[in-house]
Amino acid sequence: MQEKTLMLPGPTPVPPRVLRAMGTPMINHRGVDFSTLFTEVEAGLKDVFQTNNDLVILPAAGSGGMESAVVNLLSPGDKALFAVMGVFGQRFVDIATGYRVEPLVVEAPWGEAVKPEQIQEKLAADKDHEIKAVFVTHNETSTGVTLDLERVTQVVQEHPAILVVDAVSSLGAIDLKTDAWGIDVVVTGSQKALMVPPGLALVSVSQRAWEVVRENGCCSYYWNWEAYRKLTEKKQTPYTPAVTLWFALREALTMIREEGLKQIFERHALMAEMVRTGARALGLDLLAGDAVASNTITAVRSPAGINVKDLRRCLEAVYGVVVAGGQKKLAGEVFRIGHLGYVFPNDIINVLNALDLCLLDLGHDHEAGAAVKAAGEVLKRRGKEK
Ligand SMILES: Cc1ncc(COP(=O)(O)O)c(C=O)c1O
């Protein structure tokens, strides 16, 4: 059977080394072996989060990590500000309104980034400091847009609100300096840049955030961060951890350390440029402008007359390349190429080649081979710059 090439914004391909680590025999999660595993994973993760803050590692999807932030930091009736520029920004609003939090929202059209000034304006108008937390998406996976997070941290610091960042599709691929930028809470998931199968939500929590958590008094049993904090000293978790995923994460973190964060960020920037250049060489339009375009995922508009479903079907059935469709209001309008995690420039060449051939098959008019040629030039130029 043909092995498929996953070019999704998640789950991403899992390296063979990580898969092998998942075959490690089970251990006692209350014994010394798990404490060692915990210590190693914690150290590796702190490097990737660029933090000394505490970490909470939950057996959950990324959305579970998001929900845990809402329930630990806020109570019904609290006000919070949400920056929405696509599906995942909206998810935070939906989770919070489910807990009867009162949402204030700043928005950007899909394909654009929320401007830090929009957040600054709302916070400046909140003279009585009623806004308890600001929720932002670092990298909006539904549109392929990255927020100017560093600038956002600066404007949020003018107000006492806690800053919560959804970094599910950025952490470990796009620079995010948790401590240097003073971010209180960062949430990510295992199945993206961390190269681990889905199932772990990882959250960093600052001292300031812990104070809010204590004042708030969490209403949830499963998502209770305090329960995690108490057991962190013993290098254990309050209930049975997803041990196999921890084995996987330890191996993936070793790989990340071997390659180096800076090199990983550069590889992602290179792949994103290859995708954008290659797609444009086929005459395709991109949803996001270059100034806000993501290094981990690119949303490409399907050309007039070409059905996204037909295109994705061709890519998968003929070339074994799996890309994502558009979400919500972008369904049928765009397809999304994920280029994060265990993905390399040759994978980009592969997906662009398949795209070129499928588009030709579907009747699109372009010069055959143009995408690979253009992306190859980006690769050569970057190679020479080194
Ligand atoms: C930016 C962002 N936030 C949150 C999520 C939700 O993660 P999960 O699907 O693991 O719940 C995703 C998933 O794609 C995401 O890309």
Side-chain angles (χ1 to χ4, degrees):
M1 202 184 82
Q2 181 185 16
E3 220 173 86
K4 292 186 178 167
T5 309
L6 277 197
M7 298 299 292
L8 293 173
T12 61
V14 178
R17 269 174 73 174
V18 173
L19 288 173
R20 281 196 295 276
M22 291 173 71
T24 307
M26 198 42 56
I27 54 173
N28 174 12
H29 69 291
R30 298 287 177 220
V32 65
D33 290 342
F34 186 75
S35 297
T36 306
L37 176 60
F38 190 118
T39 306
E40 289 171 7
V41 164
E42 195 183 34
L45 271 180
K46 284 188 177 186
D47 287 347
V48 180
F49 275 76
Q50 303 186 59
T51 193
N52 285 315
N53 288 339
D54 292 324
L55 296 171
V56 174
I57 303 175
L58 300 153
S63 302
M66 295 166 78
E67 181 154 344
S68 78
V70 171
V71 293
N72 281 277
L73 295 165
L74 299 172
S75 292
D78 282 345
K79 275 194 189 154
L81 178 62
F82 297 84
V84 177
M85 49 193 203
V87 168
F88 294 103
Q90 183 59 40
R91 181 163 304 179
F92 253 145
V93 178
D94 295 344
I95 293 170
T97 44
Y99 284 98
R100 309 281 176 264
V101 167
E102 217 183 287
L104 295 166
V105 177
V106 288
E107 277 184 277
W110 289 25
E112 293 179 24
V114 167
K115 294 186 181 60
E117 296 72 34
Q118 290 174 269
I119 296 172
Q120 189 174 31
E121 223 170 80
K122 281 275 186 238
L123 291 177
D126 177 38
K127 300 282 181 234
D128 297 332
H129 294 165
E130 286 181 341
I131 296 174
K132 275 187 75 178
V134 178
F135 291 81
V136 302
T137 316
H138 184 200
N139 186 73
E140 180 48 76
T141 318
S142 61
T143 59
V145 166
T146 304
L147 187 71
D148 181 354
L149 184 58
E150 185 175 8
R151 181 73 195 118
V152 166
T153 63
Q154 290 161 358
V155 305
V156 174
Q157 275 154 22
E158 294 163 9
H159 186 284
I162 290 285
L163 176 62
V164 181
V165 177
D166 168 354
V168 172
S169 63
S170 59
L171 192 100
I174 300 174
D175 198 12
L176 186 163
K177 297 186 193 326
T178 304
D179 288 359
W181 295 348
I183 307 174
D184 296 298
V185 174
V186 177
V187 180
T188 196
S190 52
Q191 77 276 26
K192 310 262 182 187
L194 294 178
M195 309 182 289
V196 169
L200 293 179
L202 311 112
V203 188
S204 73
V205 185
S206 72
Q207 282 314 311
R208 229 164 66 90
W210 280 121
E211 282 160 32
V212 175
V213 169
R214 275 183 213 116
E215 269 166 39
N216 190 55
C218 179
C219 61
S220 161
Y221 183 85
Y222 195 72
W223 299 130
N224 193 322
W225 287 351
E226 270 295 353
Y228 274 87
R229 197 189 54 75
K230 284 187 188 135
L231 278 178
T232 293
E233 282 148 38
K234 285 172 120 182
K235 306 298 170 203
Q236 286 186 16
T237 57
Y239 22 79
T240 318
V243 177
T244 301
L245 295 176
W246 283 68
F247 286 138
L249 184 54
R250 172 167 60 185
E251 190 62 26
L253 290 167
T254 303
M255 291 179 68
I256 290 173
R257 194 174 305 125
E258 284 168 4
E259 186 175 354
L261 263 191
K262 183 169 168 282
Q263 288 74 10
I264 292 174
F265 297 153
E266 283 170 9
R267 170 164 58 83
H268 284 82
L270 166 63
M271 294 191 298
E273 192 185 342
M274 288 172 70
V275 169
R276 292 198 292 268
T277 309
R280 286 190 175 122
L282 297 176
L284 303 179
D285 290 328
L286 308 179
L287 183 68
D290 283 347
V292 295
S294 161
N295 282 349
T296 58
I297 179 248
T298 300
V300 184
R301 287 189 193 281
S302 197
I306 293 188
N307 184 307
V308 174
K309 275 196 190 139
D310 293 340
L311 181 57
R312 291 178 60 216
R313 198 176 300 122
C314 170
L315 289 169
E316 181 161 354
V318 183
Y319 300 100
V321 172
V322 186
V323 302
Q327 292 175 286
K328 305 274 166 132
K329 62 185 174 194
L330 292 174
E333 216 180 291
V334 302
F335 60 95
R336 293 174 302 141
I337 302 173
H339 32 87
L340 74 162
Y342 192 60
V343 175
F344 296 87
N346 59 325
D347 297 307
I348 306 301
I349 296 289
N350 185 32
V351 69
L352 288 173
N353 195 31
L355 185 59
D356 186 329
L357 294 168
C358 282
L359 284 170
L360 281 177
D361 254 9
L362 294 168
H364 185 251
D365 182 22
H366 65 264
E367 185 199 329
V372 165
K373 189 162 170 257
E377 272 156 20
V378 173
L379 191 53
K380 265 195 286 180
R381 176 168 48 75
R382 285 279 187 125
K384 278 190 196 137
E385 281 165 10
K386 280 201 171 166

